[in-house]
Amino acid sequence: MRAIRGAIQLDMDEREHLLASTRELVTTVLESNHLGLEDLISVWFTVTPDLHSEFPAVAARELGMGDVPLMCTQEMDVTGAMPRVVRLMAHVMTPLARGEITHVYLRGAAALRRDLAQ
């Protein structure tokens, strides 16, 4: 079992944009790590306090994750933190070693982890 991190910065807090961006993030995490839906154990999503338009888990369900445990929470409201960010931590079954995991940071979120950004 491994944990995979990912994040994406949104341009705006708009429902369809949040859902499309979350689908992009989830799909990129899965593809980058050669995973299928059957490899998922659970996915934890967080959003910055400025995102209110929808739960990211809705996008995951749209991708077929109806039987995967999903959780949505809010990030801490830290002064100066990057705005409009959806993050995820996916717990997966994979033969990949920890060092072989590809963590995914898209759009402006790449600045969060320049050492890991794809």
Side-chain angles (χ1 to χ4, degrees):
M1 182 169 86
R2 298 283 179 225
I4 302 173
R5 289 293 317 266
I8 191 166
Q9 187 177 36
L10 280 58
D11 298 326
M12 67 193 99
D13 182 26
E14 189 274 321
R15 183 179 189 274
E16 289 308 316
H17 180 61
L18 184 142
L19 292 174
S21 297
T22 302
R23 287 190 301 266
E24 177 185 354
L25 175 62
V26 171
T27 300
T28 303
V29 165
L30 293 175
E31 290 174 355
S32 297
N33 290 284
H34 312 288
L35 298 168
L37 296 179
E38 67 280 359
D39 299 314
L40 291 168
I41 296 168
S42 65
V43 182
W44 191 320
F45 294 97
T46 67
V47 297
T48 50
D50 52 1
L51 295 177
H52 307 277
S53 61
E54 187 56 272
F55 295 101
V58 171
R61 288 187 196 101
E62 290 175 353
L63 291 172
M65 296 181 196
D67 63 346
V68 176
L70 305 171
M71 179 70 72
C72 296
T73 63
Q74 189 177 80
E75 285 283 331
M76 292 175 52
D77 190 9
V78 176
T79 303
M82 183 179 289
R84 300 178 317 279
V85 176
V86 174
R87 292 173 173 88
L88 70 74
M89 183 181 299
H91 299 97
V92 303
M93 293 302 295
T94 179
L96 295 176
R98 187 175 295 157
E100 297 174 308
I101 295 292
T102 301
H103 303 280
V104 175
Y105 292 83
L106 303 174
R107 301 189 200 143
L112 295 171
R113 290 297 303 262
R114 293 193 189 281
D115 59 323
L116 298 177
Q118 185 179 15

